[in-house]
Amino acid sequence: MGKRYYQEDMETASYDLMYRIQTERLAKTVKHAYDHVAPYRAKMKAKGVEPGDIKSPEDLKKLPFLSKDDLRDEYPYGYLAKPLSDCVRIQSTSGTTGKRVVAFYTQADIDLWDECCARAIVAVGGTNEDVVHVSYGYGLFTGGPGLNGGSHKVGSLTLPMSSGNTDRQIQFMTDLGSTILCCTPSYAAFLAENINNAGLRDQIKLKAGIFGAEAWSEEMRRDIERNLGIRAYDIYGLTEISGPGVSFECEEQTGMHVNEDHFIAEIIDPETEEVLPLGSKGELVFSCITKEAFPLLRYRTRDICVLTRDACSCGRTLVKMHKPMGRSDDMLIIRGVNVFPSQIETVLLGQGYPANYQIIVDRVNYTDTFEVQVEMTTEMFSDEVKKVAQREKDLLTALKSMLGISPKVTLVSPRTIARSEGKAVRVIDKRKI
Ligand code: DLL
């Protein structure tokens, strides 16, 4: 392991120091947002709260929440807090329905974001001796630009590969000796499969991976680690709050440290909006306290998560968030039962299937249909038909016991489910409800 921290003073700050920093920065940001963001000022007024009422992080609960819908309603400039002439970049979410969300950055915002990503790279052992292979998409998506900026700050040799063209990825990886791979976990699994199929495993020098932007299980982590001979670390973030690097995993691999000197995290009950204590499961909410152009306060992420503040062996004091367990809005309700795609993945990987699967939900004659299509490994595929039928039965039993409802399980031949270079498409919900 190289240098352990990128900004040791902040990453290992005492609770008291962090509290003082947050107090000062929060008050400043609330005033900045109130003065320059008309729709936020209107929301604060509607709640009867003024900037002077926010004296410490405890007062956060007095502030109104913000959601993706608020940003969409004011598209594109409504929540911009700086003149456009001070902004140097936009990024945008992949967006599912309706208008995209556009986030704005000043140069200072970009510098802080890059530093957050640099912390993530150093935490996995990155130094200026490393070759950082960035296969997140570049463009409006924040993955590529974020890790690229972080890698520059660390002084590593940066390979701005972007996603796609797997043969070229593997060629650069072997020719230039990439040591740290940054991409989505599903693309990492796909690259691993191709590297192993091509018999090139002993020609790669990878030691670590920084994988995020989508939910992945511990089983998938172990599979990627084994197949690439690396340690795989999680990274989290969202466009509205900056991008990757809102939180990052350290060598302990037990959750992600939130960069609390920039983002204050809260967990709320998504129904009642009540703030929940540390250790409770609920929706993650972030307040940005250092941003200039897009200083969102109490932004509801829809990610279901748990925050903990146990001592970490890495020495960081930053609060930790567990792997998100799904989103309050991607949770499927099938025949009245709540289903998280991550639960299905856990079962599949636990039974030795590759992480290539699709969940297909439809509604026929007012009844939900629920199918899980799963790719077999080449070994499973060469088994006799009777064995495959038994496998389907076993998988159905395991899924039923995890979910409480029975899907139709279909095992398909290897490499028949479309691969993704970005976020994998796991759920196809055809219901028009
Ligand atoms: O996915 C930013 C990012 C890029 C994070 C690269 C990590 C690495 P968005 O496209 O705005 O931003 O999507 C944000 O993705 O609210 C989560 O639901 C999900 N997400 C991001 N990271 C993780 C993760 C980027 N490590 C949304 N685990 C978030 C689970 C994640 N879900």
Side-chain angles (χ1 to χ4, degrees), residues 399-420:
L399 284 169
K400 189 174 175 201
S401 118
M402 168 70 100
L403 307 171
I405 51 166
S406 305
K408 173 171 184 257
V409 174
T410 313
L411 294 178
V412 299
S413 343
R415 300 179 151 268
T416 43
I417 292 178
R419 298 296 196 273
S420 163

Side-chain angles (χ1 to χ4, degrees), residues 143-162:
L147 271 306
N148 194 95
S151 173
H152 277 217
K153 290 268 180 205
V154 178
S156 311
L157 177 65
T158 312
L159 271 49
M161 301 301 302
S162 197

Side-chain angles (χ1 to χ4, degrees), residues 93 136 141-143 212-215 234-240 243-244 256 301 303 324 327 423:
T93 58
Y136 285 113
F141 179 57
T142 52
E214 63 181 350
D234 206 351
I235 185 166
Y236 169 91
L238 58 163
T239 314
E240 298 90 318
M256 295 172 275
T301 64
D303 290 315
R327 293 173 56 85
K423 301 190 190 207

Side-chain angles (χ1 to χ4, degrees), residues 157-173:
L157 177 65
T158 312
L159 271 49
M161 301 301 302
S162 197
S163 51
N165 202 335
T166 301
D167 289 344
R168 188 180 61 192
Q169 302 270 359
I170 297 174
Q171 187 181 349
F172 271 81
M173 205 174 266

